Amino acid sequence: MLVAGVGKVFSIGPKAMGISGFAGFLASLGVPLPTIMAWGVGLLELIGGILLLVGLAVRITGALIAIDMFVATVLYHLPNGYPASSNGIELTLVLTLMAVALVLSGPGALSIEQTLSDQEDRIRDSSQSRATDR
């Protein structure tokens, strides 16, 4: 997601397209407000990719990316068949399902979100034990 977002927003890397190129592509698919949608998708993939890598807002980001990839699957990839080599649904379907899995499973043990949650639990437990000691 991060690589695709960098390509859309900054027009660099293996998926370099830029916002204007991506907006033109979306317009050719009949997507309304293609420039606004291009910015939305580009920023979602860029920022969402970073958030998923570090493990923050995993369920929310996963849900948004699942929607993004499902729309890409239906709007563009579905008519091309299954194999990714022919721009088929293979990759976007896998990304959709992986994002759904993140929504269902939540952040992993090494995520920042889990670390923050564990710290909150420890603070809550220690403040409750102090209150019961009195």
Side-chain angles (χ1 to χ4, degrees), residues 91-112:
L91 177 62
T92 55
L93 181 61
V94 167
L95 291 172
T96 301
L97 296 174
M98 288 174 62
V100 169
L102 287 172
V103 171
L104 297 174
S105 67
L110 299 177
S111 68
I112 291 174

Side-chain angles (χ1 to χ4, degrees), residues 43-90:
L43 290 173
L44 170 63
E45 292 178 358
L46 175 69
I47 296 168
I50 293 168
L51 289 172
L52 290 180
L53 279 173
V54 299
L56 276 172
V58 171
R59 286 191 160 107
I60 294 168
T61 304
L64 293 172
I65 288 176
I67 293 166
D68 173 35
M69 289 295 96
F70 179 74
V71 170
T73 300
V74 172
L75 275 185
Y76 179 71
H77 297 278
L78 192 58
N80 300 325
Y82 181 77
S85 60
S86 62
N87 280 326
I89 66 169
E90 183 178 15

Side-chain angles (χ1 to χ4, degrees), residues 125-134:
D125 290 345
S126 78
S127 65
Q128 286 176 353
S129 69
R130 276 187 253 146
T132 58
D133 289 344
R134 293 179 187 176

Side-chain angles (χ1 to χ4, degrees), residues 26-44:
L26 292 176
S28 74
L29 295 175
V31 173
L33 305 169
T35 302
I36 293 170
M37 295 303 286
W39 275 106
V41 169
L43 290 173
L44 170 63

